[in-house]
C-alpha cells in the first residue's frame, strides 16, 4: 500500500504486507471472516502501524500483483499511469485465489489514530458461462407410484386379500398377486363409491355396516416420461481472453460502462481447452473463466471478441420427471367383494381400494426429481456450438464490452431440435446477460497474500 500527498503527488508512505510476514509490523490481520457457508462474510484485512501526516492524500492498495517493482514508483502519477500494467495468463488451470485487486481513494487524514477502510475492486472481469439445452420434450406417457404412511401399511398387513378379479375404475386397487397398485384414472382427484339401486342406493360413508379405515395422509409420485435432449460435451475451447491491463483503473461507477484498458488488440491468450476423457452428459453446462477488460466489437465479434466453442454430441433419450403430491385431509380404505361392493368383514373381501375424500395437491416441500437415460432410446447428432461473448449495454447488462470488477452471468440456449440437413457447426447469437458487481464474498480469497 502507498499514501501520496494529494497536491504534489509525492509518496508519503509505502509498505508491503503479507499473511505470513516474519516481522509482526508487516503482517496482515484477518477480520470479519467466517467459515459458515450459509452466512458468508467479506473478509477484511488490516494493516497496522501506518505513519502519515494529516492532510489530503491518495491511498492506493494493490493485492496479489505479480510486479516486483512497485516500490520504485515515487509519485501518484507514476503509479497510476495507464502504461503501468499487470499481466496474467488466465489458463484453464488458473487459481482464482491469485486474482489481483486494487483500491484507489482520496482521504483526509486527521490528527490522532484512525481506521481507514479502502474498498478493493477485482482487476479482472469474471464470466460464468452457461450452455443450456432447452429443446421442448416430447411426452411419452405418465404413470403413478402411490405409497402410504406406516398406518395404512399396518392395515394392509392385517388384511387377508386375494388376487383382484374385478379392478374398480375409482381410486387405487391393490393387487395381492403382483403386490402392487393399479389406477385406471387420475389418482389425484376425489372419488366416491356408490352401490345398490333405487331407494337402496348407498354411499360407503353412510353405511355403518361397511368395513373401512381412515387414512390421515397419503402420497403419490407422478412420473412423467418424455423424449428429451442432452448434450454430451467432449471439449470446451475459449479464445481471445485478455491477459494484460493497466494496473490502476478508474473507480467503478454508473458512468463507467465501457472498457478503458489501453491493452486491447495484443496480449490475447491462445485458446485454452477443457477436454473430457468421458463425455459430460448434461442439460446445463457451466464454466467460469476470467479476463481483463475488453472493448466491445459490436457487429464484428469475430475480429477479437471472446469466443467459446463447445464440441460434443446432442443426444436424444428418455427423461423421467418425478413430482410428489400429497393428501393431508384424509382418505378411506375399503374392502370390496368381487363386484366392487364394500363388505363388512375381511373374510369376504376380494379387493382393497383407497377412496380420496379430497384432491391431492402438489407437495412443494419435495423438489421434483429428474433423470435422463439413453438405455431405452438413443439418437445422436455430433455438434459444435460457437458463442461470441461481446455484451452491449441494455436489459440486465450495464456495460459495453467486458469491464473489470463485474460478474457476467451469460446463458446460451440450444432451443431447436436437429432438422435435416443437419449442420455440424452452429453459432448461437441470442445470449442472455445478467451483470452484477463482483463482490469479494463470491470467492474466498486471501486478498493480500
Amino acid at each position: 500500500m502507498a499514501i501520496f500527498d494529494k497536491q504534489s503527488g509525492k509518496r508519503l508512505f509505502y509498505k508491503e504486507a503479507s499473511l505470513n510476514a516474519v516481522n509482526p509490523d508487516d503482517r496482515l490481520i484477518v477480520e470479519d471472516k467466517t467459515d459458515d457457508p450459509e452466512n458468508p462474510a467479506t473478509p477484511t484485512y488490516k494493516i497496522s502501524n501506518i505513519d502519515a501526516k494529516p492532510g489530503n492524500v491518495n491511498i492506493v492498495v494493490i493485492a496479489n500483483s505479480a510486479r516486483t517493482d512497485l516500490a520504485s514508483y515515487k509519485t501518484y502519477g507514476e503509479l497510476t499511469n495507464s502504461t503501468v500494467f499487470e499481466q496474467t495468463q488466465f489458463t484453464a488451470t488458473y487459481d482464482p485465489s491469485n486474482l489481483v485487486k486494487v483500491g484507489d481513494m482520496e482521504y483526509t487524514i486527521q490528527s490522532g489514530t484512525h481506521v481507514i477502510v479502502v474498498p478493493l475492486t477485482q482487476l479482472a472481469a469474471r464470466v460464468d458461462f452457461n450452455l443450456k439445452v432447452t429443446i421442448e420434450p416430447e411426452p411419452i406417457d405418465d404413470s403413478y407410484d402411490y405409497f402410504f404412511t406406516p398406518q395404512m401399511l399396518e392395515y394392509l398387513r392385517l388384511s387377508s386379500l386375494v388376487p383382484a378379479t374385478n379392478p374398480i375404475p375409482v381410486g387405487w386397487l391393490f393387487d395381492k398377486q403382483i403386490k402392487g397398485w393399479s389406477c385406471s384414472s387420475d389418482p389425484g382427484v376425489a372419488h366416491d363409491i356408490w352401490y345398490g339401486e333405487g331407494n337402496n342406493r348407498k354411499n360407503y360413508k353412510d353405511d355403518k355396516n361397511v368395513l373401512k379405515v381412515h387414512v390421515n395422509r397419503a402420497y403419490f409420485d407422478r412420473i412423467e416420461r418424455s423424449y428429451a435432449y442432452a448434450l454430451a460435451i467432449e471439449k470446451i475451447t475459449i479464445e481471445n481472453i485478455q491477459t494484460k491491463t493497466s494496473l490502476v483503473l478508474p473507480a467503478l461507477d454508473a458512468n463507467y460502462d465501457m472498457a478503458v484498458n489501453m491493452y486491447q488488440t495484443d496480449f490475447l491468450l491462445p485458446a485454452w481447452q477443457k477436454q473430457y476423457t468421458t463425455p459430460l452428459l448434461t442439460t446445463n453446462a457451466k464454466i467460469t473463466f476470467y479476463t481483463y477488460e475488453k472493448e466491445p466489437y459490436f457487429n464484428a465479434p469475430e475480429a477479437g471478441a471472446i469466443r467459446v466453442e463447445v464440441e460434443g454430441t446432442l443426444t436424444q433419450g428418455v427423461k423421467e420427471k418425478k413430482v410428489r403430491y400429497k393428501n393431508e385431509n384424509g382418505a378411506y380404505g375399503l374392502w370390496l367383494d368381487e363386484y366392487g361392493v364394500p363388505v363388512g368383514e375381511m373374510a369376504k373381501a376380494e379387493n382393497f381400494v383407497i377412496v380420496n375424500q379430497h384432491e391431492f395437491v402438489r407437495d412443494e416441500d419435495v423438489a421434483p426429481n429428474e433423470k435422463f437415460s439413453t438405455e431405452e432410446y438413443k439418437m445422436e447428432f455430433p455438434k459444435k456450438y460457437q458463442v461470441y461473448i461481446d455484451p452491449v449495454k441494455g436489459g440486465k447488462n450495464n456495460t459495453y464490452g467486458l469491464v473489470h470488477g463485474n460478474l457476467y452471468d451469460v446463458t446460451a440456449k440450444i432451443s431447436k431440435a436437429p432438422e435435416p440437413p443437419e449442420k455440424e457447426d452452429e453459432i448461437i447469437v441470442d445470449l442472455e446477460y445478467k451483470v452484477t458487481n463482483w463482490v469479494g464474498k463470491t470467492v474466498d480469497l486471501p486478498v493480500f497474500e
Side-chain angles (χ1 to χ4, degrees):
M1 68 161 294
I3 300 176
F4 301 90
D5 179 74
K6 174 67 177 174
Q7 185 174 1
S8 68
K10 182 180 178 181
R11 193 173 75 190
L12 305 176
F13 179 84
Y14 179 85
K15 188 171 192 175
E16 294 185 5
S18 68
L19 291 170
N20 301 314
V22 176
N23 187 343
D25 288 343
D26 298 332
R27 195 174 300 154
L28 292 171
I29 301 172
V30 184
E31 297 182 342
D32 300 330
K33 186 177 180 180
T34 175
D35 294 324
D36 183 0
E38 299 297 326
N39 299 287
T42 303
T44 299
Y45 294 83
K46 183 178 179 181
I47 302 174
S48 57
N49 299 318
I50 297 172
D51 186 16
K53 296 178 180 180
N56 297 325
V57 299
N58 289 99
I59 303 174
V60 179
V61 178
I62 300 172
N64 287 342
S65 175
R67 297 188 70 104
T68 59
D69 62 346
L70 294 178
S72 66
Y73 295 98
K74 304 295 185 181
T75 69
Y76 179 76
E78 290 175 353
L79 180 61
T80 60
N81 190 291
S82 60
T83 60
V84 179
F85 64 86
E86 185 75 30
Q87 193 161 5
T88 306
Q89 298 298 309
F90 293 115
T91 62
T93 58
Y94 178 75
D95 183 356
S97 68
N98 295 321
L99 285 163
V100 180
K101 287 153 284 291
V102 178
D104 179 11
M105 64 179 288
E106 296 181 8
Y107 192 80
T108 300
I109 298 178
Q110 307 287 342
S111 298
T113 302
H114 303 277
V115 174
I116 305 171
V117 178
V118 182
L120 300 182
T121 300
Q122 301 283 359
L123 192 57
R126 171 177 158 180
V127 179
D128 288 349
F129 175 70
N130 307 273
L131 180 60
K132 296 184 177 182
V133 180
T134 60
I135 301 171
E136 193 69 27
E138 179 185 343
I140 302 175
D141 55 38
D142 295 344
S143 61
Y144 304 96
D145 185 6
Y146 188 81
F147 54 96
F148 299 101
T149 59
Q151 173 199 16
M152 178 53 71
L153 293 177
E154 180 66 15
Y155 291 137
L156 295 179
R157 188 183 67 80
L158 296 173
S159 176
S160 56
L161 295 180
V162 295
T165 56
N166 182 26
I168 310 295
V170 285
W172 293 266
L173 189 71
F174 182 77
D175 187 328
K176 187 177 181 181
Q177 185 176 24
I178 63 173
K179 297 181 179 179
W181 291 84
S182 62
C183 177
S184 58
S185 61
D186 186 346
V189 302
H191 292 291
D192 262 337
I193 288 185
W194 292 83
Y195 51 95
E197 297 180 358
N199 293 333
N200 294 322
R201 185 169 171 78
K202 296 181 180 179
N203 186 296
Y204 74 93
K205 287 180 287 188
D206 302 323
D207 192 340
K208 296 181 180 179
N209 296 319
V210 167
L211 181 63
K212 51 184 176 283
V213 291
H214 184 261
V215 188
N216 291 329
R217 60 179 62 88
Y219 307 86
F220 73 86
D221 287 333
R222 181 188 180 97
I223 303 171
E224 304 167 356
R225 299 171 70 251
S226 59
Y227 295 117
Y229 287 89
L231 185 63
I233 299 175
E234 299 163 9
K235 183 170 64 177
I236 298 176
T237 304
I238 303 179
E239 297 177 347
N240 298 329
I241 288 177
Q242 179 62 46
T243 64
K244 191 172 183 179
T245 180
S246 303
L247 179 58
V248 182
L249 293 170
L252 288 176
D253 58 29
N255 297 319
Y256 195 159
D257 60 2
M258 184 178 291
V260 298
N261 177 22
M262 68 176 292
Y263 302 99
Q264 291 292 329
T265 57
D266 300 324
F267 308 103
L268 300 179
L269 183 73
W272 75 249
Q273 294 182 339
K274 183 170 185 177
Q275 191 95 26
Y276 294 88
T277 305
T278 302
L280 174 65
L281 186 65
T282 181
T283 58
N284 185 10
K286 180 176 180 179
I287 193 164
T288 295
F289 60 92
Y290 306 90
T291 180
Y292 286 134
E293 286 196 348
K294 290 182 68 71
E295 291 178 347
Y297 288 81
F298 295 105
N299 296 323
E302 62 279 358
I306 288 179
R307 175 180 169 271
V308 180
E309 180 183 275
V310 180
E311 185 175 347
T313 302
L314 188 61
T315 304
Q316 188 178 31
V318 174
K319 182 179 77 170
E320 186 176 281
K321 181 178 180 180
K322 184 180 290 188
V323 182
R324 176 70 50 84
Y325 289 82
K326 65 180 179 179
N327 182 342
E328 295 184 338
N329 295 314
Y332 279 95
L334 302 176
W335 285 264
L336 310 177
D337 65 17
E338 60 182 307
Y339 304 106
V341 176
V343 297
E345 53 186 292
M346 274 185 208
K348 297 180 179 180
E350 296 287 333
N351 302 308
F352 182 81
V353 69
I354 299 296
V355 186
N356 300 333
Q357 286 185 298
H358 302 275
E359 291 190 12
F360 278 62
V361 296
R362 170 81 174 82
D363 190 343
E364 300 295 342
D365 294 330
V366 181
N369 179 271
E370 294 186 7
K371 66 178 181 179
F372 181 88
S373 172
T374 56
E375 294 180 3
E376 178 183 343
Y377 177 87
K378 184 178 183 181
M379 291 186 69
E380 296 181 316
F381 307 90
K383 289 285 185 180
K384 286 183 181 178
Y385 294 98
Q386 299 181 60
V387 176
Y388 287 101
I389 298 179
D390 189 34
V392 177
K393 190 172 183 177
K396 294 182 179 179
N397 174 34
N398 55 13
T399 68
Y400 294 96
L402 297 164
V403 173
H404 81 285
N406 286 308
L407 190 161
Y408 294 81
D409 193 347
V410 185
T411 300
K413 296 180 180 179
I414 303 173
S415 57
K416 293 184 179 180
E419 296 180 3
E422 297 153 10
K423 295 181 180 179
E424 184 181 87
D425 296 353
E426 294 187 17
I427 298 179
I428 301 175
V429 296
D430 187 16
L431 303 184
E432 294 180 0
Y433 289 91
K434 181 182 179 183
V435 184
T436 56
N437 289 332
W438 180 13
V439 293
K441 68 180 180 181
T442 57
V443 184
D444 187 13
L445 304 177
V447 180
F448 286 97
E449 186 174 46

